[in-house]
């Protein structure tokens, strides 16, 4: 059972990478200037540096009715901090893979590269993903959806096909999850979104 859970998370990761190879454009990534360089604008005879300041988020201080509720909140904070880097790594890998695949001459070379990448990903991330709990795995599914702007079901379907995507969705349902469930930052996932924003800004 533990092995199936591990493969489940890895397939989601690989599916996200593979999705960009199915004729889909990856999410747009802002160009990053080299260290020490800044954007500038010219106003009259003056050249002004344009510096983008880090966003500051202020939310009401969380209030808890009891110790159990407080413990649940801080557990969620710990889980976000543990799984968010994986979700962002999926996004970065998708971008990098798409750009690299575009330089390959034919489909055969692309598929060969994808197979090599699959082996490398399993070898590199298997020890880390084995340590995830079920709740952290479910959270990872949501955060991948947040970062890639695609449901996990779509990503797995692109990599494994509709039949096996349906199987993994049923398997996820055994643990109260659904690959078709979309991330809802303004609704049921509002607390997760607030925690993510605070973590990303370095305030938590």
């Amino acid at each position: 059972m533990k092995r199936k859970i591990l493969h489940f998370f890895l397939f989601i990761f690989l599916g996200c990478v593979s999705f960009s190879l199915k004729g889909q454009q990856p999410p747009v990534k802002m160009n990053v200037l080299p260290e020490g360089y800044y954007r500038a604008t010219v106003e009259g005879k003056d050249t002004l540096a344009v510096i983008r300041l880090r966003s500051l988020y202020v939310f009401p201080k969380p209030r808890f009715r009891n110790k159990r509720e407080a413990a649940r909140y801080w557990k969620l904070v710990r889980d976000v901090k543990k799984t968010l880097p994986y979700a962002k790594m999926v996004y970065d890998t998708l971008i990098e893979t798409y750009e690299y695949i575009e330089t390959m001459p034919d489909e055969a070379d692309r598929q060969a590269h994808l197979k090599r990448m699959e082996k490398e990903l399993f070898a590199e991330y298997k020890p880390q993903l084995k340590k995830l709990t079920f709740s952290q795995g479910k959270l990872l599914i949501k955060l991948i959806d947040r970062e890639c702007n695609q449901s996990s079901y779509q990503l797995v379907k692109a990599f494994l096909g509709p039949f096996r995507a349906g199987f993994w969705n049923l398997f996820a349902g055994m643990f109260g999850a659904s690959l078709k469930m979309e991330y809802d930052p303004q609704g049921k996932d509002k607390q997760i979104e607030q925690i993510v924003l605070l973590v990303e800004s370095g305030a938590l």
Side-chain angles (χ1 to χ4, degrees):
M1 182 65 71
K2 185 75 172 179
R3 182 180 179 84
K4 286 185 177 181
I5 288 289
L6 167 63
H7 285 177
F8 173 60
F9 296 141
L10 286 172
F11 279 139
I12 291 175
F13 183 95
L14 294 171
C16 188
V17 173
S18 177
F19 186 75
S20 64
L21 311 181
K22 303 296 182 178
Q24 303 290 334
Q25 293 291 334
V28 176
K29 189 173 185 179
M30 298 278 298
N31 290 328
V32 179
L33 293 175
E35 186 177 354
Y37 288 82
Y38 300 93
R39 300 186 187 280
T41 182
V42 177
E43 294 186 8
K45 296 182 180 181
D46 295 325
T47 301
L48 305 176
V50 178
I51 301 175
R52 187 175 181 180
L53 299 177
R54 186 176 65 182
S55 298
L56 177 64
Y57 299 96
V58 179
F59 300 111
K61 185 177 180 180
R63 295 182 178 181
F64 311 111
R65 291 172 293 184
N66 50 56
K67 292 183 178 179
R68 179 178 296 181
E69 194 173 90
R72 188 182 302 116
Y73 174 82
W74 290 110
K75 179 182 181 300
L76 181 58
V77 171
R78 291 194 300 271
D79 289 348
V80 166
K81 288 184 175 181
K82 185 169 185 177
T83 56
L84 184 60
Y86 290 114
K88 290 186 176 297
M89 188 163 36
V90 168
Y91 175 87
D92 290 338
T93 304
L94 186 153
I95 296 294
E96 293 171 5
T97 301
Y98 179 84
E99 293 175 348
Y100 183 71
I101 288 294
E102 286 297 291
T103 67
M104 294 186 169
D106 53 48
E107 185 64 21
D109 288 339
R110 295 179 182 183
Q111 292 302 322
H113 172 72
L114 185 59
K115 289 183 179 180
R116 289 194 301 271
M117 191 173 186
E118 178 181 355
K119 292 181 181 180
E120 292 173 1
L121 289 172
F122 266 89
E124 183 174 356
Y125 296 111
K126 180 178 179 178
Q128 301 173 44
L129 293 178
K130 283 176 67 175
K131 298 178 182 179
L132 292 182
T133 65
F134 290 142
S135 61
Q136 290 168 349
K138 289 164 63 177
L139 180 59
L140 176 59
I141 293 173
K142 289 188 175 184
L143 295 180
I144 287 177
D145 186 5
R146 178 185 187 271
E147 295 298 316
C148 298
N149 198 30
Q150 295 288 338
S151 73
S152 296
Y153 180 82
Q154 289 174 302
L155 302 178
V156 177
K157 180 180 177 181
F159 182 63
L160 300 175
F163 177 78
R164 295 186 68 188
F167 167 79
W168 285 113
N169 191 42
L170 288 174
F171 184 78
M174 295 171 57
F175 303 97
S178 172
L179 301 187
K180 295 182 180 181
M181 182 174 56
E182 297 182 353
Y183 186 71
D184 184 11
Q186 301 301 323
K188 59 184 177 181
D189 298 318
K190 185 176 181 179
Q191 187 178 60
I192 296 176
E193 181 66 13
Q194 289 182 357
I195 292 173
V196 169
L197 292 175
L198 291 173
V199 169
E200 287 179 333
S201 65
L204 190 60

